[in-house]
């Protein structure tokens, strides 16, 4: 159902998706720009979304036996350099501290782009015996990557995230942990953020610097581009060896442990915006929306309206709903447009006539459907409507992903589909870096993942025609 815009217009997403995104993050009051390029101020409403995601994940991490820690922000250069692939991967994006006050430091210090090296150094001090394992740590922090091109949420020089790091006695246990944490991310995306995902493994080319294997959940945005939404890495024993971590096993023999790391960042908020948003602004999944319901009194000056609105507000608050009462003196039209911009899942309108009839009107943000609701049933009706919005958003996003996932048998076909329609393109692949590179150079797509759910599309690699090893999903990524 199309809806007329009432306040400050934002750019239509069909006109300029990038500008639409920038308009939404600022007009919905999620971020503000700071004095440093690529460093953003998360305003209360934006930060509240992060806090809700954080709460979901933190609870799950702890249920699975992880403990939160806090590592220093600075890494000595010599420490960073111990793992060759890792340092090569991150070197172009490192920011360095070279001065302390007015004195030049004897060794420059890297502002953490990620903390593998710090965890490894720490473990080399405290892990001695099989009894010390597993180590299952997580930290909530910000990291710094000196990006050239920056965008709010999607590519910041500093961003918030969590990074889990674990150390295990055996490879099997570490691989199981890696897969388990990917599943935690997949469930967070699907069940809480209403974002359907494709679970899979990265190719050699796309995996994390220093990892043996990187697992990923990939989501499709409204503009059919891909967003890597959470990754989980299996490191084998490479880092442990480089950093001298060893433990004596039950037979008193010295062994090298196996490591994992996994992370999800505020980038996911960019994903939520680009998955669910529309031309009226942000659309938030009820389960992580800071405000789930806004009560908007109609003709608030009429006797009894504010009293009833207050009553409804208190009732919903008591029922555990995150509710706000808009008692501002803005016009009704302005209020409605403003709460739509901020993506509040349900707007509850209440006027004199409604009160007479013992009802109110609930307006769904996902489809603008107006649902007359009896006031005495609010406690059950509102949570049910929020569930319906949550499901509605997931279904819409799933439909977008399914309808825009295509099969190609050749590179030419893949290129043509990408140019014409965009989206995810599934092809068979021989496993060679050359073919992956050709897909990138000629069709403009990177491999998103080698999905868990493999399909046999043909016996031949779509690029070289050689013997196919597996199916890959390609796409243009953020
Ligand atoms: Zn090939």
């Amino acid at each position: 159902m199309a809806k007329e815009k009432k306040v400050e217009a934002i750019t239509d997403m069909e006109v300029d998706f990038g500008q639409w995104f920038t308009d939404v993050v600022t007009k919905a009051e999620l971020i503000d720009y700071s004095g440093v390029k690529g460093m953003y101020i998360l305003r209360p409403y934006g930060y509240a979304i992060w806090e809700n995601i954080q709460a979901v994940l933190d609870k799950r991490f702890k249920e699975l036996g992880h403990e939160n820690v806090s590592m220093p922000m600075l890494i000595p250069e010599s420490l960073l350099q111990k793992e060759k692939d890792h340092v090569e991967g991150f070197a172009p994006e490192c920011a360095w501290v070279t001065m302390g006050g007015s004195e030049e430091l004897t060794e420059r210090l890297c502002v953490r782009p990620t903390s593998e090296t710090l965890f490894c150094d720490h473990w080399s001090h405290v892990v001695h015996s099989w009894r010390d394992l597993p180590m299952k740590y997580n930290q909530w922090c910000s990291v710094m990557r000196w990006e050239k091109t920056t965008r709010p949420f999607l590519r910041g020089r500093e961003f918030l995230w969590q990074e889990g790091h674990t150390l295990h006695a055996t490879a099997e246990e570490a691989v199981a942990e890696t897969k388990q944490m990917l599943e935690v991310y997949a469930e967070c995306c699907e069940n809480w953020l209403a974002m359907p995902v494709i679970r899979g493994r990265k190719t050699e080319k796309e995996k994390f610097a220093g990892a043996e294997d990187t697992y990923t959940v990939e989501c499709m945005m409204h503009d059919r581009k891909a967003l890597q939404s959470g990754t989980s890495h299996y490191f084998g024993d490479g880092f442990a060896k480089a950093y001298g971590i060893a433990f004596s096993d039950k037979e008193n023999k010295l062994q090298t442990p196996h490591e994992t790391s996994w992370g999800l960042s505020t980038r996911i908020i960019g994903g939520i915006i680009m998955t669910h948003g529309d031309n009226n602004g942000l659309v938030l999944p009820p389960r992580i929306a800071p405000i789930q319901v806004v009560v908007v009194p109609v003709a608030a000056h009429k006797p009894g309206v504010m009293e009833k609105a207050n009553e409804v507000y208190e009732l919903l608050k008591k029922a555990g709903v995150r509710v706000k009462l808009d008692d501002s003196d803005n016009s009704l039209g302005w209020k409605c447009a403003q709460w739509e911009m901020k993506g509040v899942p349900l707007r509850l309108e209440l006027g004199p006539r409604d009160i007479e009839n013992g009802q109110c009107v609930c307006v769904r943000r996902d489809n603008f459907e107006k649902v007359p609701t009896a006031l005495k049933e609010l406690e059950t009706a509102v949570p049910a409507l929020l569930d319906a919005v949550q499901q509605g958003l997931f279904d819409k996003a799933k439909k977008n992903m399914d309808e825009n996932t295509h099969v190609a048998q050749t590179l030419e076909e893949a290129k043509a589909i990408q140019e014409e329609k965009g989206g995810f393109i599934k092809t068979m692949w021989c496993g060679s870096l050359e073919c992956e590179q050709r897909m990138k150079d000629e069709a403009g797509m990177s491999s998103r993942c080698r999905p868990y759910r493999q399909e046999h599309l043909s016996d031949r690699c779509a690029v070289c025609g050689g013997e196919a090893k597996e199916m890959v999903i390609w796409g243009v990524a953020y």
Side-chain angles (χ1 to χ4, degrees):
M1 213 184 296
K3 195 153 189 315
E4 202 184 322
K5 274 185 229 161
K6 296 188 190 87
V7 281
E8 299 180 79
I10 54 170
T11 308
D12 275 359
M13 52 166 60
E14 293 78 14
V15 173
D16 183 342
F17 195 76
Q19 190 56 49
W20 168 84
F21 180 80
T22 307
D23 288 352
V24 170
V25 297
T26 50
K27 299 239 165 86
E29 300 177 337
L30 302 180
I31 67 123
D32 187 23
Y33 296 91
S34 78
V36 182
K37 178 183 152 75
M39 293 193 181
Y40 306 99
I41 295 154
L42 269 184
R43 300 182 66 183
Y45 196 57
Y47 194 71
I49 298 173
W50 180 238
E51 283 183 307
N52 287 343
I53 297 170
Q54 200 172 20
V56 171
L57 288 176
D58 201 63
K59 179 167 176 278
R60 192 74 191 112
F61 295 162
K62 285 173 181 160
E63 280 169 0
L64 294 170
H66 304 93
E67 296 173 291
N68 284 338
V69 295
S70 177
M71 288 283 164
M73 177 192 277
L74 300 177
I75 309 171
E77 185 167 21
S78 55
L79 188 64
L80 197 66
Q81 278 173 343
K82 285 190 180 176
E83 214 288 333
K84 199 173 82 11
D85 291 340
H86 186 67
V87 72
E88 272 175 19
F90 280 97
E93 299 172 1
C94 284
W96 295 95
V97 175
T98 59
M99 300 284 288
S102 58
E103 278 171 37
E104 197 159 318
L105 303 179
T106 50
E107 180 179 16
R108 53 180 193 158
L109 306 170
C110 177
V111 184
R112 64 181 168 213
T114 176
S115 309
E116 276 74 15
T117 56
L118 292 166
F119 279 90
C120 286
D121 188 41
H122 169 58
W123 284 332
S124 75
H125 306 155
V126 300
V127 172
H128 308 291
S129 142
W130 61 271
R131 291 178 191 86
D132 300 324
L133 296 174
M135 285 279 174
K136 294 169 79 172
Y137 287 172
N138 175 63
Q139 87 165 333
W140 293 95
C141 64
S142 75
V143 286
M144 188 166 287
R145 296 180 186 174
W146 214 252
E147 306 274 4
K148 291 196 177 73
T149 320
T150 60
R151 290 185 80 184
F153 293 117
L154 300 174
R155 207 162 284 277
R157 284 185 174 168
E158 185 187 8
F159 56 87
L160 296 172
W161 78 345
Q162 60 70 218
E163 45 178 320
H165 298 266
T166 67
L167 197 64
H168 305 265
T170 64
E172 294 70 35
E173 207 184 291
V175 169
E177 167 82 8
T178 313
K179 291 181 181 168
Q180 171 184 267
M181 298 323 287
L182 190 84
E183 198 51 34
V184 168
Y185 292 147
E187 284 172 9
C188 175
C189 287
E190 298 199 323
N191 299 344
W192 293 82
L193 313 181
M195 292 166 72
V197 302
I198 294 177
R199 300 155 168 84
R201 289 158 71 191
K202 289 286 184 189
T203 59
E204 261 318 279
K205 182 174 179 290
E206 297 288 329
K207 73 183 189 186
F208 182 81
E212 281 205 4
D213 230 333
T214 289
Y215 294 77
T216 179
V217 283
E218 300 283 326
C219 298
M220 186 186 288
M221 304 294 98
H222 192 83
D223 64 349
R224 300 170 192 179
K225 284 195 198 168
L227 189 85
Q228 177 182 300
S229 298
T231 47
S232 186
H233 317 288
Y234 168 61
F235 286 124
D237 59 8
F239 272 88
K241 279 185 175 146
Y243 287 82
I245 312 169
F247 69 98
S248 48
D249 65 13
K250 287 179 186 171
E251 278 78 48
N252 222 12
K253 273 194 232 140
L254 210 56
Q255 303 282 0
T256 309
H258 294 72
E259 198 184 337
T260 82
S261 89
W262 25 276
L264 181 137
S265 75
T266 40
R267 192 164 209 247
I268 198 74
I269 299 176
I272 296 169
I273 299 167
M274 293 193 294
T275 302
H276 303 306
D278 63 18
N279 285 333
N280 287 49
L282 191 62
V283 181
L284 290 176
R287 298 191 77 179
I288 53 94
I291 303 168
Q292 296 172 309
V293 178
V294 61
V295 178
V296 178
V298 179
H301 57 284
K302 296 263 175 80
V305 173
M306 276 316 291
E307 286 76 0
K308 199 70 191 173
N310 250 309
E311 215 176 278
V312 166
Y313 165 77
E314 291 296 341
L315 179 101
L316 289 176
K317 202 165 94 173
K318 229 170 154 184
V321 177
R322 294 191 290 273
V323 59
K324 175 164 176 78
L325 171 63
D326 186 348
D327 53 3
S328 69
D329 57 2
N330 294 315
S331 73
L332 180 65
W334 198 93
K335 283 182 188 180
C336 293
Q338 180 64 6
W339 295 115
E340 275 173 13
M341 179 68 73
K342 297 191 91 161
V344 174
L346 215 55
R347 185 174 73 240
L348 195 154
E349 295 179 358
L350 185 69
R353 194 173 304 162
D354 298 313
I355 295 168
E356 254 178 55
N357 296 332
Q359 65 159 47
C360 64
V361 178
C362 291
V363 187
R364 286 174 60 159
R365 178 62 183 92
D366 62 326
N367 59 10
F368 301 108
E369 192 190 334
K370 293 184 172 184
V371 187
T373 310
L375 289 175
K376 58 179 182 205
E377 283 164 17
L378 277 183
E379 276 166 288
T380 50
V382 164
L385 274 169
L386 289 172
D387 284 347
V389 174
Q390 182 83 25
Q391 189 62 44
L393 290 176
F394 181 86
D395 292 346
K396 207 155 128 187
K398 181 83 168 61
K399 187 161 174 270
N400 183 52
M401 187 162 85
D402 290 347
E403 285 179 356
N404 293 295
T405 301
H406 308 281
V407 171
Q409 296 294 357
T410 63
L411 174 59
E412 292 67 34
E413 204 184 325
K415 189 182 170 193
I417 295 170
Q418 184 52 47
E419 280 168 4
E420 195 190 327
K421 304 172 183 164
F424 288 159
I425 295 167
K426 304 191 270 196
T427 80
M428 297 310 286
W429 178 52
C430 65
S432 81
L433 177 62
E434 289 75 20
C435 289
E436 191 177 359
Q437 193 60 47
R438 275 190 67 194
M439 188 65 92
K440 177 86 196 161
D441 295 342
E442 293 174 37
M445 292 186 288
S446 55
S447 67
R448 301 320 309 150
C449 70
R450 304 176 284 156
Y452 284 2
R453 269 195 210 148
Q454 284 286 318
E455 295 164 50
H456 184 80
L457 307 172
S458 100
D459 297 327
R460 302 277 139 213
C461 169
V463 182
C464 68
E467 194 185 328
K469 262 193 180 157
E470 60 192 328
M471 184 182 84
V472 168
I473 292 187
W474 311 86
V476 177
Y478 274 97

